[in-house]
Amino acid sequence: MWYLIIGSDVPNSLQARRAARPEHLARLQVLLDEQRLLVAGPMPALDTEDPGEAGFVGSAIIAQFEDFASARSWAEADPYVTAGVYQQVDVLPFKPVLFRSHE
């Protein structure tokens, strides 16, 4: 099943986000290599690709897991959680219906 994971950043977490980013991306790369990642990315605090020091308000990930408990466990172990970047992580079942391929 697919799950939407939304991590909401604490205010002023840009430095912690930058420090934890390599580990965060490494975990996502594993999902991508296993063909279990549909999309992942940050949500800028400003309406621009590079928000600069304004940073981000969170991240969204759509990935495939065996069940809700597995998705929740994976999300709670994210380096952004352990580094204090995320103040909240929501995990919701997701059913992809329409999407544009980047191929």
Side-chain angles (χ1 to χ4, degrees):
M1 174 103 190
W2 293 94
Y3 293 89
L4 169 62
I5 299 168
I6 301 172
S8 300
D9 287 16
V10 299
N12 304 311
S13 61
L14 186 58
Q15 282 190 310
R17 178 181 268 274
R18 286 178 176 155
R21 188 170 188 261
E23 289 178 69
H24 171 77
L25 292 179
R27 292 180 85 234
L28 290 171
Q29 185 64 51
V30 171
L31 292 177
L32 186 63
D33 292 346
E34 295 173 349
Q35 298 183 352
R36 295 173 44 210
L37 181 66
L38 185 62
V39 66
M43 297 179 291
L46 303 175
D47 187 15
T48 179
E49 279 195 40
D50 182 2
E53 292 304 309
F56 302 89
V57 297
S59 302
I61 299 164
I62 299 176
Q64 197 172 42
F65 293 92
E66 185 175 321
D67 53 32
F68 180 83
S70 299
R72 168 59 66 193
S73 177
W74 185 92
E76 290 175 351
D78 192 282
Y80 284 174
V81 172
T82 56
V85 175
Y86 291 157
Q87 63 183 336
Q88 180 176 334
V89 178
D90 295 306
V91 178
L92 303 163
F94 184 82
K95 183 177 178 180
V97 175
L98 299 172
F99 59 94
R100 180 179 65 92
S101 173
H102 287 284
E103 297 174 8

